[in-house]
Amino acid sequence: MATKRSYHDACGTAHALDLVGERWALLVVRELLLGPKRYGDLRADLPGISTNVLSHRLDELEEAGVVYRRTLPPPANARVYELTEWGLELEPIIRALGRWGARSPAHQRDASISPTSFVLSLRTNFDPEAASGVQAVYELHLGQHSFHARVADGAFEIDRGTTSEPDATIEGPPDALASVIYGGRDMTEATHASDLAIKGDLTAVERFLSLFPLPEPAPQPVQD
């Protein structure tokens, strides 16, 4: 069992929370959904976590069979943490939980966001109907992290790495790009402020930025 505490409940949901329900555990998993990371990278992308807690969560997740450690081949020779195949099955759960949480009236849309979290939000909020007729390839440079994205036939794919001859390139911190996509910030203002740098087809970029609407906030309960 991944944690010392248990619900002692035969329900699968209860057992899942035994495995990944400790504070920070699911966010550690979130940060590994796009591929392996070194301990230092995890620490940088989860700035609110202490080193002790991160070490404990990684040990617990490894013991549970959600995460494993391996050494990258030369010339890297770095020790990294990676999700197991079973651990990767958590992606749709985390994305669904994120979309549910985004409906909270108390959701802070201007809080900091990691590159991985931002990319997963794009996968989560993509609107196939809004993408009808869009055929384009993009590169996103989010700090030191690069991703290539493709929109075609109402489908969206995004993964780590670059691509040859993108229609447009968007560069900037994930917070800045999120402020445009989710916060209603004007793209031109963000570029004039040097928070974003855009190269290529501006029309394709404007269309891209409109493809990820957040869900409507949950209604407030009516007080008697």
Side-chain angles (χ1 to χ4, degrees):
M1 186 171 61
T3 63
K4 294 181 180 179
R5 293 180 293 180
S6 172
Y7 290 104
H8 299 293
D9 189 318
C11 170
T13 300
H15 184 61
L17 290 174
D18 281 344
L19 300 175
V20 297
E22 289 292 311
R23 182 170 170 79
W24 291 104
L26 276 181
L27 295 188
V28 172
V29 172
R30 181 197 71 190
E31 289 301 318
L32 295 174
L33 284 172
L34 299 183
K37 286 186 177 182
R38 296 173 297 181
Y39 179 92
D41 295 328
L42 285 168
R43 182 75 178 84
D45 290 334
L46 294 168
I49 197 172
S50 69
T51 55
N52 284 342
V53 171
L54 178 56
S55 295
H56 285 317
R57 293 298 168 265
L58 287 168
D59 288 344
E60 291 165 354
L61 291 169
E62 186 174 11
E63 183 181 349
V66 177
V67 167
Y68 70 100
R69 284 179 286 181
R70 68 182 177 94
T71 301
L72 296 176
N77 288 325
R79 294 280 286 175
V80 296
Y81 292 89
E82 189 166 6
L83 292 176
T84 62
E85 289 188 13
W86 182 49
L88 285 169
E89 292 177 15
L90 283 166
E91 178 173 351
I93 298 168
I94 290 176
R95 286 167 55 185
L97 187 62
R99 190 163 176 85
W100 179 81
R103 297 191 65 216
S104 166
H107 179 222
Q108 294 182 325
R109 298 184 181 183
D110 58 349
S112 63
I113 188 169
S114 73
T116 297
S117 181
F118 175 72
V119 168
L120 290 173
S121 79
L122 297 182
R123 289 183 177 178
T124 299
N125 296 311
F126 175 72
D127 183 354
E129 292 186 6
S132 177
V134 179
Q135 304 277 339
V137 177
Y138 304 87
E139 273 190 11
L140 305 182
H141 299 287
L142 308 175
Q144 298 178 345
H145 304 269
S146 296
F147 301 88
H148 62 274
R150 177 184 297 274
V151 181
D153 302 321
F156 174 67
E157 297 177 356
I158 184 167
D159 289 292
R160 283 181 175 180
T162 59
T163 186
S164 60
E165 300 182 0
D167 295 284
T169 300
I170 306 171
E171 182 175 358
D175 293 6
L177 192 50
S179 71
V180 175
I181 293 180
Y182 301 128
R185 186 181 183 188
D186 182 70
M187 180 188 73
T188 302
E189 187 275 324
T191 56
H192 285 170
S194 299
D195 291 332
L196 293 179
I198 296 173
K199 298 179 182 178
D201 188 340
L202 289 179
T203 301
V205 172
E206 290 175 348
R207 189 72 185 272
F208 177 80
L209 298 177
S210 70
L211 300 180
F212 310 96
L214 286 174
E216 290 294 323
Q220 293 280 21
V222 177
Q223 300 293 331
D224 293 333

